[in-house]
Amino acid sequence: MFEIIQILRNAKRPRTAQQIAEELEVTKRTVYRDIAALQAMRVPVEGEAGVGYVMRSGYDLPPINFDVEEAEAITVGLALIARTGDRGLNRAARSAAQKLADSTRLSETVFASTWGVEEPEIIDLTTVRKAIREDRKLRIYYRNAEGVETRRTIWPIAIAYHSEAIVIAAWCELRKDLRHFRPDRVSEYEELNEGFIGEGDRLRQEWIKDYASWL
């Protein structure tokens, strides 16, 4: 619903439910439901299905106040996300920056280079992050450093973004152990309906203990 408010506040003309749904990657039914909820909360959204919606002028979001150090930290942090090579995170960072800019002043005195890891050609890291959140398995075709390819079913539990590479932490059914996989070495992948519900948190804590020791 916050996203809908942002879209309508920045729109120059009425936006249809279809346009909003496409921008947010949701269904029109979801947009209709959320707009009805906003109207019920007295947010001044006007319009109707098939015509378009507008935000009545004068509506302001609650202010967000950061001190100077916080504003500088957020500015640099959002800029550094461009180094991850994760297209979905980059898109989210731009959206977050716009939201913050609409409600508070970020720093204009600190900058960060966007040079970093290139976006993987095959696997979409947005899909990986979704699989992590949902405890859902992935099947991947993976080439190791020697170029040998194997088919793996993995239980993804975390992504680590390093300056030189991205690594997906996962339980590997083939090796029966926790392993790291570089997305740029994945030649093919598939989302599976099979999950590992309830195991993700346990495996993640086990991985974090070992991961922290070599940071």
Side-chain angles (χ1 to χ4, degrees):
M1 289 189 285
F2 186 90
E3 296 273 9
I4 291 173
I5 291 174
Q6 291 296 100
I7 290 171
L8 295 179
R9 288 181 74 229
N10 295 326
K12 304 299 183 184
R13 59 181 61 85
R15 301 295 299 275
T16 66
Q18 181 63 43
Q19 291 171 328
I20 297 172
E22 290 175 357
E23 186 166 342
L24 299 181
E25 299 180 351
V26 298
T27 65
K28 285 200 299 183
R29 180 177 296 180
T30 298
V31 173
Y32 291 143
R33 181 196 64 204
D34 288 346
I35 285 179
L38 288 169
Q39 291 171 332
M41 292 186 288
R42 300 183 183 277
V43 176
V45 176
E46 299 178 346
E48 59 186 43
V51 177
Y53 297 95
V54 296
M55 176 74 70
R56 196 164 63 238
S57 61
Y59 180 76
D60 291 317
L61 294 170
I64 301 174
N65 296 312
F66 298 116
D67 62 28
V68 173
E69 291 290 315
E70 291 170 337
E72 290 180 345
I74 292 168
T75 299
V76 172
L78 289 172
L80 288 175
I81 290 175
R83 294 184 173 191
T84 63
D86 188 323
R87 178 174 49 192
L89 283 185
N90 289 336
R91 184 170 58 246
R94 290 193 296 271
S95 175
Q98 182 60 55
K99 291 176 184 177
L100 290 171
D102 286 345
S103 55
T104 190
R105 183 181 177 87
L106 296 183
S107 176
E108 296 179 350
T109 64
V110 291
F111 299 88
S113 167
T114 57
W115 178 88
V117 181
E118 292 186 3
E119 180 183 332
E121 292 184 5
I122 303 299
I123 193 166
D124 185 347
L125 292 174
T126 299
T127 299
V128 178
R129 288 187 280 105
K130 181 173 180 289
I132 292 171
R133 293 194 299 269
E134 296 179 352
D135 284 352
R136 189 173 299 280
K137 297 181 183 182
L138 297 175
R139 179 174 294 127
I140 63 173
Y141 288 82
Y142 188 75
R143 296 186 306 272
N144 63 17
E146 289 72 41
V148 178
E149 186 172 79
T150 53
R151 188 178 76 164
R152 315 281 188 105
T153 297
I154 63 171
W155 306 6
I157 57 171
I159 301 178
Y161 299 93
H162 298 281
S163 58
E164 70 281 0
I166 305 167
V167 292
I168 301 169
W171 175 267
C172 176
E173 291 189 357
L174 180 66
R175 303 304 183 197
K176 307 297 183 185
D177 200 1
L178 288 169
R179 287 287 191 270
H180 286 152
F181 301 94
R182 285 180 44 161
D184 58 333
R185 293 178 180 170
V186 174
S187 60
E188 187 178 338
Y189 75 103
E190 176 187 1
E191 299 177 73
L192 302 180
N193 292 326
E194 187 178 357
F196 51 99
I197 305 300
E199 294 295 319
D201 286 339
R202 178 185 63 80
L203 290 170
R204 195 157 30 251
Q205 293 308 311
E206 182 180 336
W207 171 77
I208 287 173
K209 290 178 183 178
D210 290 334
Y211 184 68
S213 66
W214 36 273
L215 283 180

